[in-house]
Amino acid sequence: MMENQASSDDARQRLGFLPAAETAALARDGVLIPDPGSVLVSPGVRLEEGVVLWPGIILQVQDGGTLVIGNHTQLFSGSRLVASGGSIKVGARAEIGDEGGFTLKAGTGDVIEVGDGARLLGGGSLTLSNRIGRGAQILGPIRCQNCTLGDGATYRDPEPDERGGVLKGSGVARQTEVPTGSVIQAFGLFSEGILRRQSHFHPKSGR
């Protein structure tokens, strides 16, 4: 058993990740990790108090990159965040990777920012530079490159037109901008999608 653990730790360290015991020790800083043996975290990743790392998470820093996860953010199984010379900063109380994981990859010179309360789900990805504002959402397997979603309230807010910008559907979004309270739903190229108010999809009763 000890030999297997030593072999596992050797592989982790060769690949640039913390040994299993040091990963489990992140709990001392208030990080919640139900299954430390299934989680890979590079040295230098900054995890604030209350972050939840569900099984199967990879948080990787290499080539001078930086990766910061804000307090009480949840990273769901199958998510991979890689700062390979670039910068990834996730705000507080975000939800990343529910319903199929999510991938964030910042190469040299790239900056990916995910605001407080944002929600990224359904197997999509962020590559190159992206700014996903407070309360913004990406819903579905959407490949986002150089996208900007406006700040707003979270999906829990009763007023849909005050929520952060939303992309929903599947496909590729390049240099796409969605302002506060708006949404683009597409299945293919989001550049061909129609920008609508979120109340179009979530009308209030009595309207």
Side-chain angles (χ1 to χ4, degrees):
M1 189 69 163
M2 292 182 63
E3 183 178 342
N4 289 340
Q5 185 61 61
S7 177
S8 173
D9 282 343
D10 180 64
R12 282 171 173 259
Q13 291 179 294
R14 287 189 179 194
L15 293 169
F17 296 106
L18 295 171
E22 291 185 32
T23 302
L26 294 170
R28 298 172 188 164
D29 298 321
V31 179
L32 304 178
I33 315 178
D35 184 11
S38 72
V39 172
L40 298 175
V41 180
S42 291
V45 171
R46 179 178 161 193
L47 301 170
E48 296 186 359
E49 184 177 0
V51 168
V52 181
L53 303 181
W54 290 104
I57 298 299
I58 299 175
L59 302 178
Q60 186 172 15
V61 171
Q62 53 193 19
D63 301 327
T66 60
L67 174 52
V68 179
I69 310 294
N71 66 79
H72 295 92
T73 281
Q74 292 203 60
L75 299 177
F76 292 93
S77 297
S79 294
R80 182 181 180 217
L81 284 66
V82 182
S84 183
S87 170
I88 298 175
K89 183 177 181 180
V90 179
R93 301 185 184 278
E95 299 175 25
I96 296 180
D98 200 6
E99 301 181 16
F102 215 91
T103 299
L104 285 68
K105 296 179 72 174
T108 301
D110 295 332
V111 176
I112 295 177
E113 296 182 2
V114 179
D116 295 349
R119 185 167 68 146
L120 314 178
L121 59 80
S125 66
L126 301 176
T127 58
L128 305 179
S129 291
N130 296 268
R131 185 182 183 278
I132 310 304
R134 288 181 290 102
Q137 301 180 78
I138 299 174
L139 309 176
I142 304 168
R143 294 172 54 200
C144 298
Q145 302 170 348
N146 294 324
C147 293
T148 301
L149 305 186
D151 292 319
T154 73
Y155 68 94
R156 296 183 176 89
D157 192 278
E159 179 49 66
D161 291 343
E162 294 181 1
R163 299 172 187 169
V166 174
L167 294 174
K168 62 188 297 186
S170 63
V172 179
R174 295 189 181 96
Q175 298 180 334
T176 301
E177 184 169 350
V178 182
T180 301
S182 297
V183 56
I184 297 177
Q185 181 180 42
F187 300 91
L189 296 176
F190 278 75
S191 59
E192 299 174 356
I194 299 172
L195 185 69
R196 294 185 171 96
R197 300 300 290 169
Q198 291 186 36
S199 54
H200 174 84
F201 294 94
H202 305 283
K204 286 189 173 182
S205 60
R207 284 188 175 178

Coordinates of all heavy atoms in Angstrom, one line a residue, residues 69-157:
I69 N -8.9 30.8 -7.2 CA -10.3 30.4 -7.0 C -10.9 31.1 -5.8 O -10.4 30.9 -4.7 CB -10.5 28.9 -6.9 CG1 -9.7 28.2 -8.0 CG2 -12.0 28.6 -7.0 CD1 -10.2 28.4 -9.4
G70 N -11.9 31.9 -6.0 CA -12.5 32.7 -4.9 C -13.3 31.8 -3.9 O -13.7 30.7 -4.2
N71 N -13.6 32.4 -2.8 CA -14.3 31.7 -1.7 C -15.6 31.1 -2.1 O -16.4 31.7 -2.8 CB -14.4 32.6 -0.4 CG -15.3 33.8 -0.6 OD1 -16.5 33.7 -0.5 ND2 -14.7 35.0 -0.9
H72 N -15.9 29.9 -1.6 CA -17.1 29.2 -1.7 C -17.5 28.9 -3.1 O -18.7 28.6 -3.4 CB -18.3 30.0 -1.0 CG -18.1 30.0 0.5 ND1 -17.4 31.1 1.1 CD2 -18.4 29.2 1.5 CE1 -17.3 30.9 2.4 NE2 -17.9 29.7 2.7
T73 N -16.6 29.0 -4.1 CA -16.8 28.5 -5.4 C -16.8 27.0 -5.5 O -16.0 26.3 -4.8 CB -15.8 29.1 -6.4 OG1 -16.1 30.4 -6.7 CG2 -15.7 28.3 -7.7
Q74 N -17.7 26.4 -6.3 CA -17.8 25.0 -6.4 C -17.2 24.6 -7.8 O -17.7 25.1 -8.8 CB -19.2 24.4 -6.3 CG -19.8 24.6 -4.9 CD -20.9 23.6 -4.6 OE1 -20.7 22.4 -4.7 NE2 -22.1 24.1 -4.3
L75 N -16.3 23.6 -7.8 CA -15.8 23.0 -9.0 C -16.3 21.6 -9.1 O -15.9 20.8 -8.3 CB -14.3 23.1 -9.1 CG -13.6 24.5 -9.0 CD1 -12.1 24.4 -9.0 CD2 -14.1 25.3 -10.2
F76 N -17.1 21.3 -10.1 CA -17.8 20.0 -10.2 C -16.9 19.0 -11.0 O -16.0 19.4 -11.8 CB -19.2 20.1 -10.8 CG -20.1 20.9 -9.9 CD1 -20.3 22.2 -10.0 CD2 -20.9 20.2 -9.0 CE1 -21.2 22.9 -9.2 CE2 -21.8 20.8 -8.1 CZ -21.9 22.2 -8.2
S77 N -17.2 17.8 -10.8 CA -16.4 16.7 -11.4 C -16.2 16.9 -12.9 O -17.2 17.2 -13.6 CB -17.1 15.3 -11.2 OG -17.2 15.1 -9.8
G78 N -15.0 16.6 -13.4 CA -14.7 16.7 -14.8 C -14.2 18.0 -15.2 O -13.9 18.2 -16.4
S79 N -14.0 19.0 -14.3 CA -13.5 20.3 -14.7 C -12.0 20.3 -14.6 O -11.4 19.7 -13.8 CB -14.1 21.4 -13.8 OG -15.5 21.5 -13.9
R80 N -11.5 21.1 -15.6 CA -10.0 21.2 -15.7 C -9.7 22.7 -15.9 O -10.2 23.3 -16.9 CB -9.5 20.4 -16.8 CG -8.0 20.4 -17.0 CD -7.5 19.6 -18.1 NE -6.0 19.6 -18.3 CZ -5.4 19.6 -19.5 NH1 -6.1 19.5 -20.6 NH2 -4.1 19.7 -19.5
L81 N -8.9 23.3 -15.1 CA -8.4 24.7 -15.2 C -6.9 24.7 -15.3 O -6.2 24.2 -14.4 CB -8.9 25.5 -14.0 CG -10.3 25.9 -13.9 CD1 -11.3 24.7 -13.7 CD2 -10.5 26.9 -12.8
V82 N -6.4 25.2 -16.4 CA -5.0 25.1 -16.7 C -4.5 26.5 -17.1 O -4.9 27.1 -18.1 CB -4.7 24.2 -17.9 CG1 -3.2 24.1 -18.2 CG2 -5.3 22.8 -17.7
A83 N -3.6 27.1 -16.2 CA -3.0 28.4 -16.5 C -1.5 28.1 -17.0 O -0.6 27.9 -16.2 CB -2.9 29.2 -15.2
S84 N -1.4 28.0 -18.3 CA -0.1 27.6 -18.9 C 0.6 28.9 -19.4 O 0.5 29.2 -20.6 CB -0.3 26.6 -20.0 OG 0.9 26.2 -20.6
G85 N 1.1 29.7 -18.5 CA 1.7 30.9 -18.8 C 0.7 32.1 -18.8 O 1.1 33.3 -18.9
G86 N -0.6 31.8 -18.6 CA -1.6 32.9 -18.6 C -2.2 33.0 -17.2 O -1.7 32.4 -16.2
S87 N -3.3 33.7 -17.1 CA -3.9 34.0 -15.8 C -5.4 33.5 -15.8 O -6.1 33.9 -16.7 CB -3.8 35.4 -15.5 OG -4.6 35.8 -14.3
I88 N -5.8 32.8 -14.7 CA -7.2 32.5 -14.5 C -7.6 32.9 -13.2 O -6.9 32.6 -12.2 CB -7.4 30.9 -14.7 CG1 -7.1 30.4 -16.1 CG2 -8.9 30.6 -14.3 CD1 -7.2 28.9 -16.2
K89 N -8.6 33.7 -13.1 CA -9.1 34.2 -11.8 C -10.6 33.9 -11.8 O -11.4 34.5 -12.6 CB -8.8 35.7 -11.6 CG -9.3 36.1 -10.2 CD -8.9 37.6 -10.0 CE -9.4 38.0 -8.6 NZ -9.0 39.5 -8.3
V90 N -11.1 33.1 -10.8 CA -12.5 32.8 -10.6 C -12.9 33.5 -9.3 O -12.3 33.4 -8.3 CB -12.7 31.3 -10.6 CG1 -14.2 31.0 -10.3 CG2 -12.2 30.6 -11.8
G91 N -14.0 34.2 -9.4 CA -14.5 34.9 -8.2 C -15.2 34.0 -7.2 O -15.1 32.8 -7.2
A92 N -15.9 34.7 -6.3 CA -16.5 34.0 -5.2 C -17.9 33.4 -5.6 O -18.6 33.9 -6.4 CB -16.8 34.9 -4.0
R93 N -18.2 32.2 -5.0 CA -19.5 31.6 -5.1 C -19.9 31.3 -6.6 O -21.1 31.4 -7.0 CB -20.6 32.5 -4.4 CG -20.3 32.6 -2.9 CD -21.4 33.4 -2.2 NE -21.0 33.6 -0.8 CZ -21.1 32.7 0.2 NH1 -21.6 31.5 -0.1 NH2 -20.8 33.0 1.4
A94 N -18.9 31.1 -7.4 CA -19.2 30.6 -8.8 C -19.5 29.1 -8.8 O -19.2 28.4 -7.8 CB -18.0 31.0 -9.7
E95 N -20.1 28.7 -9.9 CA -20.4 27.3 -10.0 C -19.8 26.8 -11.4 O -20.3 27.3 -12.4 CB -21.9 27.0 -10.0 CG -22.6 27.4 -8.7 CD -24.1 27.3 -8.7 OE1 -24.6 26.4 -9.5 OE2 -24.8 28.0 -8.0
I96 N -18.9 25.9 -11.4 CA -18.2 25.6 -12.6 C -18.2 24.0 -12.8 O -17.8 23.3 -11.9 CB -16.7 26.0 -12.6 CG1 -16.7 27.6 -12.6 CG2 -15.9 25.5 -13.8 CD1 -15.3 28.2 -12.5
G97 N -18.8 23.6 -13.9 CA -18.7 22.2 -14.3 C -19.8 21.3 -14.0 O -19.7 20.1 -14.2
D98 N -20.9 21.8 -13.4 CA -22.1 21.0 -13.2 C -22.6 20.5 -14.6 O -22.4 21.1 -15.6 CB -23.2 21.7 -12.5 CG -24.2 20.8 -11.8 OD1 -24.0 19.6 -11.8 OD2 -25.2 21.4 -11.3
E99 N -23.1 19.3 -14.6 CA -23.7 18.7 -15.8 C -22.7 18.5 -16.9 O -22.9 18.8 -18.1 CB -24.9 19.6 -16.3 CG -26.0 19.7 -15.4 CD -27.2 20.5 -15.9 OE1 -27.2 20.7 -17.1 OE2 -28.0 21.0 -15.1
G100 N -21.5 17.9 -16.5 CA -20.6 17.5 -17.6 C -19.2 18.1 -17.5 O -18.4 18.0 -18.5
G101 N -18.8 18.9 -16.5 CA -17.5 19.5 -16.4 C -17.4 20.7 -17.2 O -18.3 21.1 -17.9
F102 N -16.2 21.4 -17.1 CA -15.9 22.6 -17.9 C -14.4 22.7 -17.9 O -13.7 22.3 -17.0 CB -16.6 23.8 -17.2 CG -17.0 24.8 -18.2 CD1 -18.3 24.8 -18.7 CD2 -16.2 25.8 -18.7 CE1 -18.8 25.7 -19.6 CE2 -16.6 26.8 -19.6 CZ -17.9 26.7 -20.1
T103 N -13.9 23.3 -19.0 CA -12.5 23.5 -19.2 C -12.1 25.0 -19.4 O -12.7 25.7 -20.2 CB -12.0 22.7 -20.4 OG1 -12.2 21.3 -20.3 CG2 -10.5 22.9 -20.7
L104 N -11.1 25.4 -18.6 CA -10.6 26.8 -18.8 C -9.1 26.6 -19.0 O -8.4 26.0 -18.3 CB -10.8 27.6 -17.5 CG -12.2 28.2 -17.2 CD1 -13.2 27.1 -16.9 CD2 -12.2 29.2 -16.1
K105 N -8.6 27.2 -20.2 CA -7.2 27.1 -20.5 C -6.7 28.5 -20.9 O -7.1 29.1 -21.9 CB -7.0 26.1 -21.6 CG -7.3 24.7 -21.3 CD -7.2 23.7 -22.4 CE -5.7 23.5 -22.7 NZ -5.5 22.4 -23.8
A106 N -5.7 29.0 -20.1 CA -5.1 30.3 -20.4 C -3.6 30.1 -20.8 O -2.8 29.8 -20.0 CB -5.2 31.2 -19.2
G107 N -3.3 30.3 -22.1 CA -1.9 30.2 -22.5 C -1.2 31.5 -22.3 O -1.7 32.5 -21.6
T108 N 0.0 31.6 -22.7 CA 0.9 32.8 -22.5 C 0.2 34.1 -22.9 O -0.2 34.2 -24.1 CB 2.2 32.6 -23.2 OG1 2.9 31.4 -22.7 CG2 3.1 33.8 -22.9
G109 N 0.1 35.0 -22.0 CA -0.6 36.3 -22.3 C -2.1 36.3 -22.2 O -2.7 37.4 -22.3
D110 N -2.7 35.2 -22.1 CA -4.2 35.1 -22.0 C -4.6 35.4 -20.6 O -4.0 35.0 -19.6 CB -4.7 33.7 -22.4 CG -4.4 33.4 -23.8 OD1 -4.3 34.3 -24.6 OD2 -4.3 32.2 -24.1
V111 N -5.8 36.0 -20.5 CA -6.4 36.3 -19.2 C -7.8 35.9 -19.2 O -8.6 36.3 -20.0 CB -6.3 37.8 -18.8 CG1 -7.1 38.1 -17.5 CG2 -4.9 38.3 -18.8
I112 N -8.2 35.0 -18.3 CA -9.5 34.5 -18.2 C -10.1 35.0 -16.8 O -9.5 34.6 -15.8 CB -9.6 33.0 -18.3 CG1 -9.3 32.5 -19.7 CG2 -11.1 32.5 -17.9 CD1 -9.3 31.0 -19.9
E113 N -11.1 35.7 -16.8 CA -11.8 36.2 -15.6 C -13.2 35.7 -15.5 O -14.0 35.9 -16.5 CB -11.7 37.7 -15.5 CG -10.4 38.3 -15.4 CD -10.4 39.8 -15.3 OE1 -11.5 40.4 -15.2 OE2 -9.3 40.5 -15.3
V114 N -13.5 35.1 -14.4 CA -14.9 34.6 -14.1 C -15.4 35.3 -12.9 O -14.8 35.1 -11.8 CB -14.9 33.1 -14.0 CG1 -16.4 32.6 -13.7 CG2 -14.4 32.4 -15.2
G115 N -16.5 36.1 -13.0 CA -16.9 36.9 -11.9 C -17.7 36.1 -10.8 O -18.0 35.0 -10.9
D116 N -17.9 36.9 -9.7 CA -18.7 36.3 -8.6 C -20.0 35.8 -9.0 O -20.7 36.5 -9.8 CB -18.9 37.4 -7.5 CG -17.6 37.9 -6.9 OD1 -16.5 37.3 -7.1 OD2 -17.7 38.9 -6.1
G117 N -20.4 34.6 -8.6 CA -21.7 34.1 -8.8 C -21.9 33.6 -10.2 O -23.1 33.3 -10.6
A118 N -20.9 33.6 -11.1 CA -21.1 33.1 -12.4 C -21.3 31.6 -12.4 O -21.0 30.9 -11.5 CB -19.9 33.4 -13.3
R119 N -21.9 31.1 -13.5 CA -22.2 29.7 -13.6 C -21.8 29.2 -15.0 O -22.3 29.7 -16.0 CB -23.7 29.4 -13.4 CG -24.1 28.0 -13.4 CD -25.5 27.7 -12.8 NE -26.5 28.2 -13.7 CZ -27.7 27.6 -13.8 NH1 -28.0 26.5 -13.1 NH2 -28.6 28.2 -14.6
L120 N -20.9 28.2 -15.0 CA -20.5 27.6 -16.3 C -20.8 26.1 -16.2 O -20.2 25.4 -15.4 CB -19.0 27.8 -16.5 CG -18.4 29.2 -16.2 CD1 -16.9 29.2 -16.4 CD2 -19.1 30.2 -17.1
L121 N -21.6 25.6 -17.1 CA -22.0 24.2 -17.0 C -22.2 23.5 -18.4 O -22.3 24.2 -19.4 CB -23.3 24.0 -16.1 CG -24.6 24.7 -16.6 CD1 -25.3 23.9 -17.7 CD2 -25.5 24.8 -15.4
G122 N -22.2 22.2 -18.4 CA -22.6 21.5 -19.6 C -21.4 21.1 -20.5 O -21.7 20.9 -21.7
G123 N -20.2 21.1 -20.0 CA -19.1 20.6 -20.9 C -18.5 21.6 -21.8 O -17.9 21.2 -22.8
G124 N -18.7 22.9 -21.6 CA -18.1 23.9 -22.5 C -16.6 24.2 -22.1 O -16.0 23.5 -21.3
S125 N -16.1 25.2 -22.8 CA -14.7 25.6 -22.5 C -14.5 27.1 -22.8 O -15.2 27.7 -23.5 CB -13.7 24.8 -23.4 OG -13.9 25.1 -24.8
L126 N -13.5 27.6 -22.1 CA -12.9 29.0 -22.3 C -11.5 28.8 -22.7 O -10.7 28.3 -21.9 CB -13.1 29.8 -21.0 CG -14.4 30.0 -20.4 CD1 -14.3 30.8 -19.1 CD2 -15.4 30.8 -21.3
T127 N -11.1 29.4 -23.8 CA -9.7 29.4 -24.2 C -9.4 30.8 -24.8 O -10.3 31.6 -25.0 CB -9.4 28.4 -25.3 OG1 -10.2 28.6 -26.5 CG2 -9.6 27.0 -24.8
L128 N -8.1 31.2 -24.9 CA -7.7 32.5 -25.1 C -8.2 33.4 -24.0 O -8.2 33.0 -22.9 CB -8.2 33.0 -26.5 CG -7.8 32.1 -27.7 CD1 -8.4 32.6 -29.0 CD2 -6.3 31.9 -27.8
S129 N -8.4 34.7 -24.2 CA -8.8 35.6 -23.2 C -10.4 35.8 -23.2 O -11.0 36.0 -24.2 CB -8.2 37.0 -23.3 OG -6.8 36.9 -23.1
N130 N -10.9 35.7 -22.0 CA -12.4 35.8 -21.8 C -12.7 36.5 -20.5 O -12.0 36.4 -19.5 CB -13.1 34.4 -21.8 CG -12.9 33.6 -23.0 OD1 -13.7 33.7 -23.9 ND2 -11.8 32.9 -23.1
R131 N -13.8 37.3 -20.5 CA -14.3 37.9 -19.3 C -15.7 37.5 -19.1 O -16.6 38.0 -19.9 CB -14.1 39.4 -19.3 CG -14.6 40.0 -17.9 CD -14.5 41.6 -17.9 NE -14.8 42.0 -16.6 CZ -16.1 42.2 -16.1 NH1 -17.1 41.8 -16.9 NH2 -16.3 42.6 -14.9
I132 N -16.0 36.7 -18.1 CA -17.3 36.2 -17.8 C -17.7 37.0 -16.6 O -17.2 36.7 -15.5 CB -17.3 34.7 -17.6 CG1 -16.6 34.0 -18.7 CG2 -18.8 34.2 -17.4 CD1 -17.2 34.2 -20.1
G133 N -18.6 37.9 -16.7 CA -18.9 38.9 -15.7 C -19.7 38.3 -14.5 O -20.1 37.1 -14.5
R134 N -19.9 39.1 -13.5 CA -20.6 38.7 -12.3 C -22.0 38.2 -12.7 O -22.7 38.8 -13.4 CB -20.8 39.9 -11.3 CG -19.5 40.3 -10.6 CD -19.8 41.5 -9.7 NE -20.1 42.7 -10.4 CZ -21.3 43.2 -10.6 NH1 -22.3 42.6 -10.1 NH2 -21.4 44.3 -11.2
G135 N -22.4 37.0 -12.2 CA -23.7 36.4 -12.4 C -23.9 35.9 -13.8 O -25.0 35.4 -14.2
A136 N -22.9 36.0 -14.7 CA -23.1 35.5 -16.1 C -23.1 34.0 -16.2 O -22.6 33.3 -15.3 CB -21.9 36.1 -17.0
Q137 N -23.6 33.5 -17.3 CA -23.7 32.1 -17.4 C -23.4 31.6 -18.8 O -23.7 32.2 -19.8 CB -25.2 31.6 -17.2 CG -25.8 32.0 -15.8 CD -27.2 31.6 -15.7 OE1 -27.5 30.4 -15.5 NE2 -28.1 32.5 -15.9
I138 N -22.7 30.4 -18.9 CA -22.6 29.7 -20.1 C -23.2 28.3 -19.9 O -22.8 27.6 -19.0 CB -21.1 29.5 -20.5 CG1 -20.4 30.9 -20.7 CG2 -20.9 28.6 -21.7 CD1 -18.9 30.8 -20.9
L139 N -24.2 28.0 -20.7 CA -25.1 26.8 -20.4 C -25.0 25.9 -21.6 O -25.7 26.2 -22.6 CB -26.5 27.3 -20.2 CG -26.7 28.4 -19.1 CD1 -28.2 28.8 -19.0 CD2 -26.2 27.9 -17.7
G140 N -24.2 24.9 -21.5 CA -24.1 23.9 -22.6 C -22.7 23.8 -23.1 O -21.8 24.5 -22.8
P141 N -22.4 22.8 -24.0 CA -21.1 22.6 -24.6 C -20.7 23.6 -25.6 O -20.8 23.4 -26.9 CB -21.3 21.2 -25.2 CG -22.7 21.1 -25.6 CD -23.5 21.9 -24.5
I142 N -20.3 24.8 -25.1 CA -20.0 25.9 -26.0 C -18.5 26.2 -25.9 O -18.0 26.4 -24.7 CB -20.8 27.2 -25.6 CG1 -22.3 26.9 -25.6 CG2 -20.5 28.3 -26.5 CD1 -23.2 27.9 -25.0
R143 N -17.8 26.3 -27.0 CA -16.4 26.6 -27.0 C -16.3 28.2 -27.1 O -16.6 28.7 -28.2 CB -15.7 26.0 -28.2 CG -15.6 24.4 -28.0 CD -15.1 23.8 -29.3 NE -13.8 24.4 -29.7 CZ -13.3 24.3 -30.9 NH1 -14.0 23.7 -31.9 NH2 -12.1 24.8 -31.2
C144 N -15.8 28.8 -26.1 CA -15.8 30.3 -26.0 C -14.3 30.8 -26.2 O -13.4 30.3 -25.5 CB -16.3 30.8 -24.7 SG -18.0 30.4 -24.5
Q145 N -14.1 31.7 -27.1 CA -12.8 32.3 -27.4 C -12.9 33.8 -27.5 O -13.7 34.3 -28.3 CB -12.2 31.7 -28.7 CG -12.0 30.2 -28.7 CD -11.7 29.6 -30.0 OE1 -11.7 30.3 -31.0 NE2 -11.3 28.4 -30.1
N146 N -12.3 34.5 -26.6 CA -12.3 36.0 -26.6 C -13.7 36.5 -26.4 O -14.1 37.4 -27.2 CB -11.6 36.5 -27.8 CG -10.1 36.2 -27.9 OD1 -9.5 36.2 -26.9 ND2 -9.6 36.0 -29.1
C147 N -14.5 36.0 -25.5 CA -15.9 36.4 -25.3 C -16.0 37.3 -24.0 O -15.2 37.2 -23.1 CB -16.8 35.2 -25.1 SG -16.9 34.2 -26.6
T148 N -17.0 38.1 -24.0 CA -17.3 39.0 -22.9 C -18.7 38.9 -22.6 O -19.6 39.2 -23.4 CB -16.9 40.5 -23.2 OG1 -15.5 40.5 -23.6 CG2 -17.2 41.4 -22.0
L149 N -19.0 38.5 -21.3 CA -20.4 38.5 -20.9 C -20.5 39.5 -19.7 O -19.8 39.5 -18.8 CB -20.8 37.1 -20.3 CG -20.6 35.9 -21.3 CD1 -21.1 34.6 -20.7 CD2 -21.2 36.2 -22.6
G150 N -21.6 40.4 -19.8 CA -21.7 41.5 -18.9 C -22.1 41.1 -17.5 O -22.6 40.0 -17.2
D151 N -21.7 42.0 -16.6 CA -22.0 41.8 -15.2 C -23.5 41.9 -14.9 O -24.2 42.7 -15.6 CB -21.3 42.9 -14.3 CG -19.8 42.8 -14.3 OD1 -19.3 41.6 -14.2 OD2 -19.1 43.8 -14.4
G152 N -24.0 41.3 -13.9 CA -25.3 41.4 -13.4 C -25.6 40.5 -12.2 O -24.7 40.0 -11.6
A153 N -26.9 40.4 -11.9 CA -27.3 39.5 -10.9 C -27.1 38.0 -11.3 O -27.0 37.7 -12.5 CB -28.7 39.8 -10.5
T154 N -27.2 37.1 -10.3 CA -27.1 35.7 -10.6 C -28.4 35.2 -11.2 O -29.5 35.9 -11.2 CB -26.8 34.9 -9.4 OG1 -27.9 34.8 -8.5 CG2 -25.6 35.5 -8.6
Y155 N -28.4 33.9 -11.6 CA -29.6 33.3 -12.2 C -30.7 33.1 -11.2 O -31.9 32.9 -11.5 CB -29.2 31.9 -12.8 CG -28.9 30.8 -11.8 CD1 -29.8 29.9 -11.3 CD2 -27.5 30.7 -11.3 CE1 -29.4 29.0 -10.4 CE2 -27.2 29.7 -10.4 CZ -28.1 28.9 -9.9 OH -27.8 27.9 -9.0
R156 N -30.4 33.3 -9.9 CA -31.4 33.2 -8.9 C -32.3 34.5 -8.7 O -33.3 34.5 -8.1 CB -30.8 32.9 -7.5 CG -30.1 31.5 -7.5 CD -29.6 31.2 -6.1 NE -29.0 29.9 -6.0 CZ -27.7 29.6 -6.2 NH1 -26.9 30.6 -6.6 NH2 -27.3 28.4 -6.1
D157 N -31.8 35.6 -9.3 CA -32.5 36.9 -9.2 C -33.8 36.8 -9.9 O -33.9 36.3 -11.0 CB -31.6 38.0 -9.8 CG -32.2 39.4 -9.5 OD1 -33.1 39.8 -10.1 OD2 -31.6 40.0 -8.5

